[in-house]
Amino acid sequence: MKAPLTWLRSYCDPGLEAAALAERLSMTGTEVERVGRVGAPSGDGFVIGRVLAAEPHPNADRLRVCTVDAGQGESRTIVCGAPNVAAGQTVAVALPGAVLADGTKLRKAKLRGVESAGMILSEAEMEVGDDADGIVVLDGAGAGPGTALADVIAIAETVLDLEITPNRPDCLGIYGIARELHAITGAALAPAPWGDDAEPTGTDGVAALASVAVEVPELCPRFTARAFTDVIVGPSPLWLKARLTAAGQRPINNVVDITNYVMLLTGQPLHAFDLDLVPGGEIIVRTAAPGERMTTLDGVERSLDGESVVVCDRSGPTGLAGIMGGQVSEVSEGTTRVLLEVATWDGVNILRTSNLLALRSEASTRFEKQLHPDLAMRAQRVAAKLMVELCGARLAPGTIDVDSRPRSMDPLTVGYRPERADALLGMRIAPDRAGEYLDRLGFAVESDAGGALEVTVPADRRFDVVREIDLIEEVARVHGLDEHLPATLPGGGAVGGLARHQRLLRRIEDLLRDAGLDEAVTWSFVDRDRGGVPGLAERSPVSLHNPLSEEQAVMRTDLVGGLLAVAARNLAHGTDRVALFESGRAYLPERAPTGAAPLRGGFAGSRPAPVAEPHRIAAVLAGVGGRAGWRADDRPVDFYDAKGIVELVAAALGVDVGFAPTRRAFLHPARAAAVRVGGSGAGWVGELHPQLLERIGARSGAALELDLEPLLAGSAAGEEIYEDVTTHPAVAEDIAVVGDADLDAGTIRAAVLEAGGELLESAEVFDVYAGEQVPAGKRSLALRLAFRAPDRTLTDAEVEPLRARIVAALEATGARLRG
Amino acid sequence: MLDRIERIRDEGRAAIAAAADAAAVEEARVRYLGRKAELTTILRGIGELPAAERGPVGKAGNEVRRELEGLVEEAAARHERSELDRRLAAEAIDVTLPGTPPVRLGHLHPLTRTRREIEDIFIGLGYRIAEGPEVEHDYYNFTALNHPPGHPARMLQDTFYVDPASLGDGVELYGSDGAPLTAPPGPRDVLLRTHTSPMQVRAMEDAEPPIFIIVPGRVYRRDSDATHTPMFSQVEGLAVGDGITLADLHGTLLTFARAVFGEERDVRIRPHFFPFTEPSVEVDVSCFRCGGSGELDRERCGLCKGTGWLEILGAGMVDPNVFGFVRDRGYDPDHVQGFAFGMGIERIAMLKHGVPDLRMFFENDVRMLEQFR
Ligand SMILES: [Zn+2]
């Protein structure tokens, strides 16, 4: 909402500079986004002048040399190019030194050989209208030459650009803002402009000229109409054009300008019909037939649905209720009779239709916030006076008033208990101060013996202030929160802290960071075909109904896709190696778990989430592997680099993880493993497929993605119990096992551990050998075995039979002990 | 005989002192102390001397022998040390070459760091952390937060809706009134949460007051330009308990702002409007770049645009209508009160670290990530 300062000050002037005024408004809830300006930076150097003579320019056909009395004691010569300049006119003059609206400083200048000491101004040059062709003629302004121009027209207007919150449609009108200024500063408020009405001088009563039938009273709580005859349509007076221009509206003609002006003043939109274009003066308010079409004032033909409300004449829609008028009955230069509609619409319906048609207007942004029916007649009265005054119109006696307002719009009285306010705010506001603030805001306040207030809500605030808490807010903000509110801390001694899963999640993220990975945060939404990465699009995603772009059309079902794109981008920048991880959610179109399982998507609340949102970590290593720097070995990234990360995480959590060969379309088919924890899947790890490597511009790469919930569920981290390992130390023994080259280490290790039983504490592979020392097609694995009993130091005699069992178990797998 | 021994001593001393390396020392040792050395021969033949000479010659001979042995040992050690020194000197390396780090240094994302910093401040103030769904029911995102259907405040946040056809079979869906859907879902029943506030109601459904939680997480709005990304992150706060006041909110946020931006900071609260808080406020922190003066080196401070203040969050007292949705969980709107607040993590990270463009957080350029240790 743009509020020109001179207009605002004509109703309430707290005597503050624009900046101070803006600050005061902002600190009480009316945010001032900008203090702007329309017209010149100041009125200095702008005066009223009288054209004494206007002679042709000796050297230019289209210029005139004018002699102008600008009140400086002597007349001056001004060269003027406007076709309408003539002797005898009172005009607006900028003297040399004046700074014009476009920021240029006017100087004496020779125009085709004639020196010009000033400039005669047009509307556009003053930014008080949009006429740029001719100069403004101010005959009848009642001001003599030399009078400061700013005294006659607002040529240097300061405009407050206000952000009005949706609960305050009353501040979408200048008078409402003035009332707000009055409340927060205590400065006097001028009487409301709707205090008096125009004299009806028409011959026929309104009922003889028009009729209104409202078929949908629940969507149209009130419809008022007045008729005007003998209307002379023409340009508006300069003061009106100036106010509209400053408020951001383009002047059109006096009738349309009046409707806009009254809306900007009162907050209540109006609509003027050319009554002669409404057959029989008959108005019907109804919902549209589904698919019914009409052309709105902006020249667009629109197709309506069955819930859109239309204002119709006998032959069809002539206006889209509360949003925009229709072309059929538009007021034009030839209009002589005007029907002025001021109605109240159902806000929800207006918002719905305006969203449906993607058509927002000054009217709809007000109506959608629900205006009160009492506002309608205010606007009728202000408009009627202006119609008479500015268009020479005669007001037909009477007003058509179809008032169907529901009881929910009846006057409302709300109680205010000062002690309740104090207890909520944590500061004391004296009851009489509270009463004063509410009174200034336009509430009717009565106090009872106990100090409580009975507060009647004005129509302007009827839907915003309905409870005691709403009154408390009004009182608190006018009192001044920033100035008065103490800063205390809640009592109660609540204990804060991270939950276990949150602690472990941080541990894992820190671990990955300390293992040399950089954390990335990638978009939750991705493109439907996942950038063409094979296999990622296999899982059907949660799709957006209204995505911003195809690139962000569906929710990700994995984290690795985003990391691959980040890796590719960084490699393209010239980085030779990337090591990235992300900790975040995938979104799966599945039933979400119930109960507290936040890492699986089981959240607080009575209603489970619509989809499953498991928390995952993923990592991508790409480019050069091994160590960096001048001692780099430049080896490629391989499977074991990624698997090492999985094992590091598992070790930090104290979880046993298993690996088994698996396939994913984007991974090397023979170098990928499923990760399992306690028999259930927990993710995957693998080398990237060579074709994918080529696509992301990496010469080698590996990746992993893990579900955190199974990992954390199997973890005892943080809950360890001390185990005595020094009294009875372990007996270590190394064995070398020769088996077929495709007999995997996991099978051998599992067989060893199984055979070793409880006394075999661990069996770790510490060397792998294939070559001359073993037969072709075979390989040798070296394992370090640790035997330990908690209650005694093991003897050779005890270990020997275990060793025999291990040898037997190995032979069962086709392997044997070497040497 | 004694003269001979004295001569041997002088010669031995001179020879050992003159030995240039370990080999020369050894040579001197053999010559003066070896089995065939003159001194050894003298001492060996001592029994053949006249009785009166045996004593003095034996004493002097042994003294000289001990002295020379000591000198040899000393010289040998000296030469060994200097030879080691020479060898080690030959092993010199360039100590200015870079070291070999045990691992490359990794980095947490600046948003994670900022989020944790915020979390830790509130943990210190007695809060716990709650997580909530990002794909959410309309009911929690809007209705239960006092945005009735058709309410213009719903327009404030341009919402991403989820295509109901893409949801799995058997998911539980609810209408905007919170009741289980019996009819097939409409295009507006499931959405991406536009704020972290839905967790206010979820958390209250699960726990009676007092409740002190913060809710960090991703949120989504259908908006994309220099100052908006369609995805960003927020931290919600909710404190409901006995007699919690707006002044308590003020103090809490002042404490927070000072913890994040420095002890000298101030906060300023401006009344505002949010549908789910009443009264509602916006909170500014005094600019840490210019100290709140709005001026830096006699120019307008670019960070706060000369205002001296930086807007950091929205907050307010929980609207009684919100409590009305969890009345049966122990939240009688006439008796409980508390506050809620919500802040953007990106905004705070941008302010703190001078990140000029919101979109940089999601580009994950390693050259940017590496700057945040
Ligand atoms: Zn600053």
Side-chain angles (χ1 to χ4, degrees), chain B residues 286-296 300-310:
Chain B
S286 56
C287 178
F288 54 85
R289 181 82 41 88
C290 62
S293 67
E295 244 179 62
L296 206 61
R300 195 181 78 141
C301 172
L303 188 63
C304 62
K305 312 235 167 8
T307 64
W309 295 98
L310 302 165

Side-chain angles (χ1 to χ4, degrees), chain A residues 46-89:
Chain A
F46 293 90
V47 293
I48 295 283
R50 176 157 298 126
V51 182
L52 303 175
E55 306 295 337
H57 192 291
N59 307 320
D61 290 347
R62 295 169 60 189
L63 296 178
R64 308 279 190 90
V65 178
C66 305
T67 310
V68 177
D69 174 5
Q72 311 280 302
E74 57 184 59
S75 59
R76 58 182 58 227
T77 302
I78 297 178
V79 178
C80 179
N84 66 328
V85 66
Q89 287 172 338

Side-chain angles (χ1 to χ4, degrees), chain A residues 443-520:
Chain A
F443 294 78
V445 183
E446 281 183 49
S447 47
D448 70 13
L453 308 178
E454 284 289 304
V455 182
T456 304
V457 181
D460 320 67
R461 306 295 303 278
R462 176 63 184 79
F463 306 109
D464 167 32
V465 179
V466 293
R467 305 165 300 173
E468 182 179 38
I469 186 78
D470 303 321
L471 292 175
I472 293 173
E473 172 167 52
E474 292 301 305
V475 168
R477 70 177 183 87
V478 175
H479 187 58
L481 286 179
D482 196 55
E483 201 179 327
H484 298 292
L485 189 67
T488 54
L489 286 175
V495 177
L498 293 171
R500 180 164 187 274
H501 73 272
Q502 291 159 350
R503 233 171 25 241
L504 291 178
L505 181 56
R506 281 198 186 186
R507 167 87 176 104
I508 294 168
E509 291 165 354
D510 288 349
L511 181 67
L512 293 172
R513 173 198 61 196
D514 295 339
L517 281 78
D518 293 326
E519 188 192 13

